[in-house]
Amino acid sequence: MTKITVRRSGPLNGTVSISGAKNSVLKLMAATTLAQGRYLLHNVPDIIDVDCMSDLLGSMGIGVTRSGPHDLEIDRTSDVVPEAPYELVERMRASIVVLGPLLARFGRARVAMPGGDDFGPRPIDMHLKGLELLGATFEFSHGYIEARADSLTGAHILLEYPSVGATENALMAAVLAKGTTVIDNAAREPEIADLAAFLNRMGAQVLGAGSSTIRIEGVDELFPVEHTVVPDRIEAATFLAALGMTGGELTLHGARAEHMEMFIEKVGEMGMRVSPTSDGLWAMAPSRLQSVDVATLPYPGIATDYKPLFVAMLSVAESVGIVTENVFSGRFRYVDELVRMGADVRTDAHHVIVRGRSQLSGAPVRAPDIRAGAALVLAGLRADGETEVHGAEHIDRGYEDFVGKLTAVGADVHRD
Ligand code: UD1
């Protein structure tokens, strides 16, 4: 267990470099199972989840090496064991995205069933249904999915909900299926568009990624490539939220405004000014934000990952805001921790009602997951005394050098 200690800080000032997107790089790494050879990924964040995916690929017989601080070399050999063992899937749920590409490439896969997590139940029924429509069959035994497909054939996949993971699994399977696949009600996240760009570079024929309808013409063979990972919009939003907590002025090098329009609009309503620059974003925040109501939705709506950031900002904003969760059933555990810091926050079913206070009160708290952990650190920026965020290893799963980047713009944060 590691902890991050935070003291009241601000205004923040300076430049932060935004890393590559966690939710993209993990899927690109999974996609390297599709073709033999040597890949080079650039702008890879130095985070624990990348290490987890490297371990998973390593366990399959694929060599992963960091050839530079943000470069990953992946050597996909011919002998791949198409298996994702429990110990690794349990460490990182996103491991389930290897199912589609392994099936497409090897005709079989054995993947541990992911369990639920702090967000509540995390079913994979839509992942399986999409792959079934392409011709896969599944058996479940001893906690594992045993998947088979002598060959995959293009199909019309209508997703019941625009699930990110289900879209990615279907997409990575369909690129090697025979004929045409259409995924309707597909997730539209920028990370899906990045995955499609990567697959197209490998020789796949994918059209429409980033929109609700993705059309894939199956090809016989794919090839290894070099690719630069899209910037992490959630990390960028986290630093904008940090600015919202303290006031000040930040430049986010590498952030992409067009990937976070709704977030920028909302923080604009709260009183921040955000504008795109030639290579990122510039933002200014007053010493206290106005409250707003926020509802999470699939992209391009407000991402569920942004929710703890809004709850933190609202806890010190002027007036009352209601945050409504529409994506995951239970993503509220950090609320009790914020209450321990003096925040006036109540949950009612999938709503959080936040009455802003002028400041919070530093306390020892526990990070339940990546984004909520980051939000607790941000809360500490506007709390008197000292806030100790325990369980900081959750934050390291998704943020590269979170403490270093905050410190560089004037936050009083350190790690023990
Ligand atoms: C991804 C992101 C996560 C983000 C989420 C929603 C990664 C590694 N993680 O997670 O950070 O919060 O998108 O933007 O990219 N569902 C089902 N059945 C399924 C699949 C999903 O019922 O087969 C439900 C989930 O329980 C949830 C909703 O659909 O309520 C959205 O989940 P999904 O979009 O699949 O999220 P992930 O891909 O797991």
Side-chain angles (χ1 to χ4, degrees):
M1 280 280 186
T2 57
K3 76 170 193 248
I4 292 175
T5 306
V6 194
R7 285 187 200 84
R8 189 174 170 134
S9 311
L12 298 185
N13 247 295
T15 301
V16 178
S17 279
I18 299 304
S19 301
K22 168 179 92 69
N23 288 353
S24 181
V25 70
L26 299 176
K27 324 305 169 64
L28 304 182
M29 291 173 77
T32 64
T33 55
L34 284 165
Q36 191 184 334
R38 185 164 289 213
Y39 297 78
L40 198 52
L41 293 179
H42 305 292
N43 202 28
V44 175
D46 188 2
I47 54 173
I48 301 292
D49 273 11
V50 166
D51 299 340
C52 287
M53 188 54 95
S54 302
D55 290 347
L56 176 55
L57 295 183
S59 78
M60 294 182 194
I62 299 169
V64 184
T65 326
R66 264 200 191 268
S67 47
H70 298 114
D71 302 314
L72 213 58
E73 207 175 287
I74 301 181
D75 196 2
R76 208 294 241 152
T77 47
S78 56
D79 297 324
V80 170
V81 183
E83 271 196 33
Y86 173 72
E87 315 79 78
L88 297 174
V89 176
E90 197 261 334
R91 259 168 76 198
M92 192 182 63
R93 255 197 115 267
S95 309
I96 189 69
V97 292
V98 299
L99 182 60
L102 287 179
L103 251 179
R105 186 61 190 80
F106 302 100
R108 66 191 174 89
R110 184 169 185 268
V111 176
M113 288 277 288
D117 58 17
D118 283 342
F119 304 163
R122 303 270 301 248
I124 53 161
D125 54 317
M126 288 186 247
H127 298 236
L128 302 183
K129 202 169 162 198
L131 297 172
E132 246 164 14
L133 285 166
L134 295 171
T137 57
F138 301 103
E139 279 179 23
F140 304 91
S141 65
H142 308 295
Y144 277 79
I145 307 164
E146 312 270 357
R148 291 208 165 264
D150 290 338
S151 71
L152 294 177
T153 309
H156 179 220
I157 301 172
L158 173 60
L159 292 176
E160 191 179 323
Y161 181 94
S163 152
V164 172
T167 302
E168 290 162 340
N169 254 327
L171 172 60
M172 285 190 273
V175 287
L176 286 179
K178 286 194 183 64
T180 310
T181 298
V182 175
I183 308 174
D184 261 327
N185 199 23
R188 291 186 273 170
E189 272 70 2
E191 296 77 25
I192 305 249
D194 198 32
L195 173 62
F198 181 71
L199 292 168
N200 282 341
R201 204 165 270 178
M202 288 173 70
Q205 292 188 21
V206 181
L207 277 177
S211 79
S212 296
T213 302
I214 305 179
R215 190 184 175 89
I216 305 129
E217 297 295 336
V219 296
D220 291 336
E221 206 182 348
L222 296 166
F223 305 92
V225 289
E226 188 170 342
H227 184 85
T228 300
V229 181
V230 75
D232 197 317
R233 65 198 161 98
I234 304 168
E235 188 196 21
T238 304
F239 282 96
L240 290 183
L243 185 66
M245 298 299 291
T246 63
E249 199 176 324
L250 284 185
T251 300
L252 304 185
H253 178 75
R256 299 261 290 265
E258 70 274 25
H259 291 170
M260 44 196 304
E261 282 178 7
M262 277 306 301
F263 184 91
I264 291 174
E265 180 143 343
K266 273 289 164 191
V267 294
E269 284 173 33
M270 295 175 87
M272 282 176 66
R273 281 173 59 201
V274 184
S275 17
T277 61
S278 57
D279 63 354
L281 284 178
W282 167 89
M284 197 171 100
S287 57
R288 194 161 183 206
L289 297 176
Q290 290 295 326
S291 297
V292 286
D293 293 339
V294 181
T296 65
L297 279 175
Y299 191 85
I302 295 282
T304 180
D305 302 67
Y306 297 151
K307 195 182 66 181
L309 308 175
F310 276 108
V311 174
M313 283 190 281
L314 290 170
S315 71
V316 291
E318 200 110 36
S319 179
V320 184
I322 298 176
V323 183
T324 303
E325 171 65 69
N326 294 312
V327 179
F328 285 107
S329 53
R331 212 168 182 174
F332 291 118
R333 270 204 19 202
Y334 62 96
V335 165
D336 296 333
E337 303 298 289
L338 278 174
V339 169
R340 300 189 55 256
M341 295 179 68
D344 185 348
V345 187
R346 276 193 306 123
T347 53
D348 180 9
H350 62 304
H351 305 289
V352 191
I353 301 128
V354 194
R355 289 185 172 77
R357 294 226 149 116
S358 58
Q359 70 169 2
L360 303 175
S361 167
V365 289
R366 183 161 305 281
D369 65 67
I370 304 175
R371 310 299 169 194
L376 290 170
V377 172
L378 302 195
L381 297 175
R382 187 72 177 240
D384 72 341
E386 206 169 78
T387 298
E388 283 180 355
V389 182
H390 294 263
E393 60 280 1
H394 284 293
I395 299 172
D396 302 333
R397 284 189 50 196
Y399 290 91
E400 174 174 326
D401 191 21
F402 192 47
V403 167
K405 289 186 186 186
L406 279 171
T407 308
V409 291
D412 188 348
V413 183
H414 67 269
R415 178 160 207 135
D416 305 305

